[in-house]
Amino acid sequence: AQSVTQLGSHVSVSEGALVLLRCNYSSSVPPYLFWYVQYPNQGLQLLLKYTSAATLVKGINGFEAEFKKSETSFHLTKPSAHMSDAAEYFCAVSLSGGGSNYKLTFGKGTLLTVNP
Amino acid sequence: DARVTQTPRDKVTEMGQEVTMRCQPILGHNTVFWYRQTMMQGLELLAYFRNRAPLDDSGMPKDRFSAEMPDATLATLKIQPSEPRDSAVYFCASARTVQTYNEQFFGPGTRLTVL
């Protein structure tokens, strides 16, 4: 079974500051890891994904995440926050390999507020 | 620009009424997921289908919820009878799972309010 823990349900940063959203996972096999973003009244949109290639993954809107197996972490970062980054962010894990397991397990989400 | 569509976007109903939510997956996607999002529980997977066959519906209350895929372009989630605790946003997502990882594309959701 797999699980995801997002540390901090709410993160507040100033515009231009570093964004760091934390995600730790638990998985019995090598995982695939994802970050999704949800803007108000919208569905989830994929930001980036890790699928066992490069451990540093770059996504849309200037976000990136680094897979650290030793720390079982997949933290999301952005060097400089923009007002438009204000949204809820979800980390998710899926088991690698094919077969019948296509499920994503999501964390509880982190609400990012960007202050002017 | 291919998107997952969901109807209705908003639904207000009274307790005991039947509710049907519809989802049109992205053309060519063979896997469809239904999620429920609430403040208390976050995102919960209710059920998912691959090639129209149900693979897992263990997250769904069996006595009142049912999910089907009448054809490759339509997935439905039905609640009968509805209860106030069913109030939530219901998301449909689709994926093309011919590779070993599944990138899911989400619809805009159906906001259900049961009075």
Side-chain angles (χ1 to χ4, degrees):
Chain A
Q2 67 264 34
S3 66
V4 168
T5 302
Q6 291 184 240
L7 300 176
S9 59
H10 188 193
V11 170
S12 182
V13 301
S14 298
E15 192 174 18
L18 171 71
V19 175
L20 171 60
L21 304 182
R22 299 177 187 274
C23 172
N24 287 89
Y25 69 90
S26 171
S27 176
S28 56
V29 298
Y32 292 148
L33 294 158
F34 306 80
W35 275 99
Y36 280 84
V37 61
Q38 184 179 28
Y39 298 103
N41 299 315
Q42 295 187 27
L44 278 71
Q45 178 184 359
L46 183 68
L47 267 181
L48 50 79
K49 58 184 181 286
Y50 165 78
T51 56
S52 73
T55 57
L56 182 62
V57 180
K58 294 186 184 300
I60 62 172
N61 301 337
F63 284 94
E64 63 181 38
E66 186 172 8
F67 172 70
K68 292 186 176 181
K69 183 179 178 181
S70 61
E71 299 178 8
T72 61
S73 68
F74 190 57
H75 301 332
L76 181 70
T77 60
K78 182 174 180 177
S80 177
H82 191 273
M83 296 296 290
S84 61
D85 295 327
E88 189 153 23
Y89 293 79
F90 293 89
C91 182
V93 63
S94 174
L95 297 183
S96 60
S100 62
N101 191 340
Y102 303 104
K103 294 197 292 187
L104 282 178
T105 300
F106 284 90
K108 294 289 190 185
T110 298
L111 181 64
L112 175 66
T113 302
V114 181
N115 303 307
Chain B
D1 185 21
R3 298 185 182 196
V4 176
T5 58
Q6 290 186 248
T7 57
R9 291 295 311 275
D10 283 280
K11 177 73 176 178
V12 180
T13 191
E14 294 190 347
M15 182 174 63
Q17 297 298 305
E18 178 178 302
V19 175
T20 298
M21 291 170 269
R22 294 176 174 79
C23 167
Q24 182 172 15
I26 292 173
L27 189 64
H29 283 193
N30 63 341
T31 307
V32 174
F33 305 80
W34 281 106
Y35 293 90
R36 176 171 62 184
Q37 185 178 38
T38 61
M39 290 291 290
M40 293 298 295
Q41 300 297 327
L43 267 168
E44 304 173 278
L45 178 65
L46 297 175
Y48 70 104
F49 295 76
R50 185 168 189 257
N51 296 328
R52 297 176 55 199
L55 283 191
D56 188 342
D57 62 0
S58 59
M60 206 162 63
K62 298 292 191 302
D63 55 338
R64 299 182 299 108
F65 284 60
S66 62
E68 296 180 343
M69 279 202 74
D71 60 60
T73 64
L74 177 64
T76 63
L77 180 65
K78 187 176 296 186
I79 307 174
Q80 168 64 19
S82 58
E83 298 181 1
R85 59 179 167 155
D86 301 329
S87 297
V89 182
Y90 291 81
F91 289 103
C92 172
S94 72
R96 185 168 179 265
T97 55
V98 292
Q99 296 173 312
T100 58
Y101 65 89
N102 57 335
E103 179 175 336
Q104 297 184 22
F105 294 82
F106 282 74
T110 294
R111 182 177 300 276
L112 174 65
T113 304
V114 183
L115 303 174

